[in-house]
Amino acid sequence: MPNRGADRVLARLFVTPRMMASRPISNCYPAGETRRPRLGGDRAGGAGTLGRATLGRGTLGGGTAALALILAMAASWLVVVAAPAHAGPWRIEALALEGPLTRIHPGSDAAGQKPALLAGGRWFAISACGESVCLVPGTAPDERISAAGGLPDGAVARGTGLGVVRAWYGQPTRRYRHGVLGDDIEAGALAAASASGKRLDHILGSGYVFEDITPRLADLDGDGKAEIVAIRTDVTAGASLAVYGERGGKLRRLAATAAIGRPNRWLNVAGIADFDGDGRPEIAIVKTPHIGGKLEFWSYRNDGGAGRLVRRGTMAGFSNHFIGSRNLSLSTVFDADGDGIADLAVPDTARTALRLVSLREGKLSQTGLIALPSPLTQNIALVRGPGGPILVCGLANGALIAISKR
């Protein structure tokens, strides 16, 4: 029996100020408030509005090869949205933007930060509106480092509970000229603040750097105290995954994987969550995301005070970064199959599809594939609607899309 549901497509078009006069618009405003669409946007000195234009919903022939192609031309830019007809249980919706998309901030539950994006020089909060997404004018995320000596655009990781509650990178250095993150400035130190307010520092030797932008906080061993997950690079042997924590009143390295084995080889963290349902989080990384990236899952074990990282599984064919980009969150964690256990969405090597990966009974498996109209270039923001999670993605062709279950 043909799978008609798999061939259905919902496609939505980018709307620019000039197009608003001729397209039906459903604008996103605070609840209970309606306004007429404002034309001209920032060019006329006004704030402008955001909208959506529904171009149609139906069944396309041609099976998996059929594409829904939508072209939207504005005065100065062209957006092409191609939604795969055989999208399975996933719906792809293109969201309207007024001006080019510059950045997506994925937000942080621990820090109380909601997802936001920067488009046309203005920040917008990303929120669920029924089964879709609304963009509401807002303010820039509070992510700057307040302490002196931090990375130029680094952010502070924030957490709660005992132990470390804030962490950031410091002592900028140019002693490692890899430049994979768009500049040749890396960090020579890791700084943290404990729940009691004590400042902690871990300073690397001259042969190492933190090749990263913002560290991550997670309680990896279930003791109620957060550990710090970092990317530590040996300037002669490449990057490694490293775990730090407060021990004896000092910030110490608790465990690390082996370095990749040669300089100018990097890895990126893809997600931290309890992927196997055992009550403790695993760390997912993509090793060498620019050259045949491998997805690896690691567990931190604290055996009588001696920490170690144990590899749980590996798969080939992934990339969650491209050279020169400052966006390190091209992957996200959510329950993709509704079984109550976290899954990982991470791009394939071309970043033209999201591969959905699960860790069950000690084995990694791909449980789904979401084809994208264009390569993923922006961080993924995750919002939760009444029908389930919605992934908001920025693409190389300038499009902003929302992905949700049908």
Side-chain angles (χ1 to χ4, degrees):
M1 180 178 295
N3 185 356
R4 295 182 180 179
D7 285 337
R8 294 172 64 193
V9 171
L10 172 63
R12 304 206 180 213
L13 178 68
F14 268 58
V15 181
T16 60
R18 285 195 178 184
M19 298 174 63
M20 285 184 177
S22 59
R23 299 284 183 185
I25 303 297
S26 173
N27 289 286
C28 296
Y29 298 111
E33 182 180 351
T34 58
R35 309 175 194 169
R36 294 182 60 190
R38 174 183 291 173
L39 303 183
D42 293 332
R43 293 184 182 180
T49 57
L50 298 173
R52 295 182 312 214
T54 304
L55 294 194
R57 183 194 304 241
T59 302
L60 301 180
T64 59
L67 293 177
L69 255 235
I70 304 163
L71 301 180
M73 184 170 296
S76 59
W77 49 292
L78 174 69
V79 175
V80 181
V81 177
H86 192 79
W90 300 97
R91 180 181 67 180
I92 297 178
E93 174 189 354
L95 303 174
L97 285 175
E98 190 175 290
L101 175 64
T102 303
R103 184 183 174 204
I104 294 178
H105 186 279
S108 168
D109 290 339
Q113 293 179 339
K114 294 184 178 181
L117 64 82
L118 179 64
R122 302 181 64 215
W123 280 97
F124 297 87
I126 306 172
S127 60
C129 292
E131 295 182 356
S132 187
V133 170
C134 283
L135 306 177
V136 180
T139 58
D142 178 20
E143 58 176 356
R144 303 300 299 176
I145 288 179
S146 57
L151 289 179
D153 62 347
V156 178
R158 294 180 174 90
T160 58
L162 303 174
V164 172
V165 294
R166 291 194 302 143
W168 64 96
Y169 293 120
Q171 295 194 10
T173 177
R174 284 189 165 91
R175 61 176 174 248
Y176 185 57
R177 298 297 184 97
H178 188 192
V180 73
L181 301 181
D183 62 24
D184 60 359
I185 302 175
E186 312 300 345
L190 175 65
S194 68
S196 64
K198 183 178 180 180
R199 166 77 179 257
L200 306 167
D201 291 277
H202 182 91
I203 301 174
L204 295 176
S206 61
Y208 298 88
V209 296
F210 290 109
E211 199 173 6
D212 202 358
I213 297 176
T214 304
R216 303 140 199 90
L217 294 178
D219 182 4
L220 300 176
D221 56 7
D223 66 352
K225 299 179 181 180
E227 281 75 39
I228 305 171
V229 177
I231 302 171
R232 174 180 178 265
T233 294
D234 182 326
V235 299
T236 63
S240 64
L241 174 67
V243 175
Y244 293 80
E246 183 183 7
R247 296 293 186 271
K250 294 184 178 181
L251 189 59
R252 302 181 184 275
R253 180 164 58 93
L254 306 179
T257 63
I260 293 173
R262 58 183 298 182
N264 300 334
R265 293 295 182 266
W266 185 68
L267 64 84
N268 190 19
V269 176
I272 304 173
D274 180 8
F275 291 107
D276 61 1
D278 68 352
R280 294 186 180 182
E282 288 76 39
I283 307 168
I285 66 172
V286 177
K287 187 179 290 185
T288 61
H290 315 120
I291 46 173
K294 291 185 177 181
L295 179 66
E296 297 182 351
F297 281 64
W298 293 83
S299 293
Y300 173 72
R301 295 288 182 259
N302 185 355
D303 304 324
R308 59 193 177 96
L309 285 165
V310 179
R311 187 164 59 188
R312 302 291 305 281
T314 183
M315 293 179 69
F318 296 87
S319 177
N320 60 344
H321 185 261
F322 57 95
I323 293 175
S325 173
R326 303 294 285 177
N327 298 323
L328 303 191
S329 298
L330 273 65
S331 53
T332 193
V333 175
F334 73 113
D335 182 5
D337 52 16
D339 66 353
I341 303 176
D343 304 296
L344 182 68
V346 60
D348 63 1
T349 52
R351 306 190 320 280
T352 54
L354 290 177
R355 299 178 64 180
L356 305 180
V357 179
S358 296
L359 175 63
R360 301 293 185 273
E361 298 179 356
K363 296 182 179 180
L364 289 182
S365 62
Q366 179 174 306
T367 59
L369 184 73
I370 305 173
L372 301 175
S374 178
L376 181 71
T377 56
Q378 295 286 344
N379 295 326
I380 299 177
L382 178 67
V383 296
R384 292 173 176 83
I390 304 173
L391 281 61
V392 180
C393 307
L395 308 180
N397 64 2
L400 178 71
I401 64 171
I403 302 171
S404 59
K405 281 286 187 72
R406 293 181 184 274

